[in-house]
Amino acid sequence: MESGLTSGRCGRARPAPHLLPALLAVLLAAGCGGPPAPGDRTSADGTPPPAAAAGATPAAATEMTGIDLLFLSMMAGHTEQTLEIVRLVRDRLTDGELRTLVAAVEVTETDELETARTWLAQAGRSARADDHAGHGTGPDQLARLRDAPPPHLDTVLIEVLSAHQQAAADLARAHLAAGTDERVRDLARRVEQSRSAQVALLAAARPSI
């Protein structure tokens, strides 16, 4: 059965060329297709970019309910961990498409983290580590990434990042049903879409057993 991969050196699997359009779709959906034109405050998926959303009517951020603030706090903690994963692997990955995806994740989630922190600060609250406890990637998985030898790092990243981003998508999907602030729900919608797309791409890049 074809796995959607081509073989690289040392038998390591790498995404086939037909996965590139999917990768580009992820980048565009995540708002990484470049800055908006003057007067255009929408991203490629039709939603306001994070920077624009963060700057909109800041006083209204204090009207967010506890569930909105909890989501932002949990999302900030999860995103901080995503960026830790990126730092562990970005200079060691051997597959070019995975490097491109990781770079896009870093840019997108850095912006989202700034948005979450800004809204939390406007509401007089900061992200708390305990809000994120039990929802992220454990120390053992981070150690796997840190210690993975070069021939296996790409595969380990696919496994760890897939689970990590699926958790973010699940968290965002839950907030879409429970949240009250439309700006936070819009952020959750974009998080759910981008993380789900990333998980699908990583699944296509997963080596067959």
Side-chain angles (χ1 to χ4, degrees):
M1 181 182 296
E2 203 163 294
S3 64
L5 304 171
T6 58
S7 295
R9 295 181 180 176
C10 303
R12 182 178 49 80
R14 58 180 281 124
H18 70 266
L19 292 176
L20 186 56
L23 174 59
L24 294 177
V26 170
L27 302 184
L28 291 174
C32 295
D40 181 5
R41 298 180 65 81
T42 60
S43 63
D45 64 352
T47 58
T57 59
T62 58
E63 300 173 3
M64 293 177 184
T65 63
I67 193 69
D68 296 310
L69 296 173
L70 179 61
F71 169 74
L72 289 173
S73 187
M74 292 178 67
M75 205 64 235
H78 195 278
T79 302
E80 287 170 354
Q81 198 169 59
T82 308
L83 296 176
E84 182 179 0
I85 291 172
V86 167
R87 287 190 292 268
L88 285 173
V89 303
R90 63 185 172 192
D91 298 325
R92 300 163 53 214
L93 292 170
T94 54
D95 186 272
E97 291 179 7
L98 282 178
R99 286 199 303 270
T100 300
L101 176 59
V102 165
V105 167
E106 182 173 22
V107 170
T108 299
E109 300 208 23
T110 297
D111 285 344
E112 291 173 353
L113 179 58
E114 181 180 358
T115 296
R117 285 174 171 170
T118 297
W119 286 343
L120 286 166
Q122 289 166 352
R125 180 170 174 176
S126 60
R128 298 202 313 261
D130 58 333
D131 285 341
H132 186 57
H135 296 277
T137 299
D140 54 336
Q141 297 302 308
L142 295 177
R144 287 185 66 204
L145 286 170
R146 189 179 299 109
D147 301 335
H152 303 296
L153 177 60
D154 292 6
T155 298
V156 173
L157 173 67
I158 289 171
E159 295 175 0
V160 172
L161 189 59
S162 292
H164 187 77
Q165 299 300 68
Q166 184 61 60
D170 293 344
L171 175 62
R173 192 176 302 112
H175 190 70
L176 284 173
T180 60
D181 187 279
E182 283 307 311
R183 291 164 304 158
V184 181
R185 294 183 75 252
D186 180 65
L187 175 63
R189 185 176 298 107
R190 286 184 281 119
V191 167
E192 194 278 332
Q193 290 172 348
S194 68
R195 304 315 189 266
S196 295
Q198 291 168 19
V199 169
L201 179 61
L202 290 164
R206 188 184 300 275
S208 59
I209 304 301

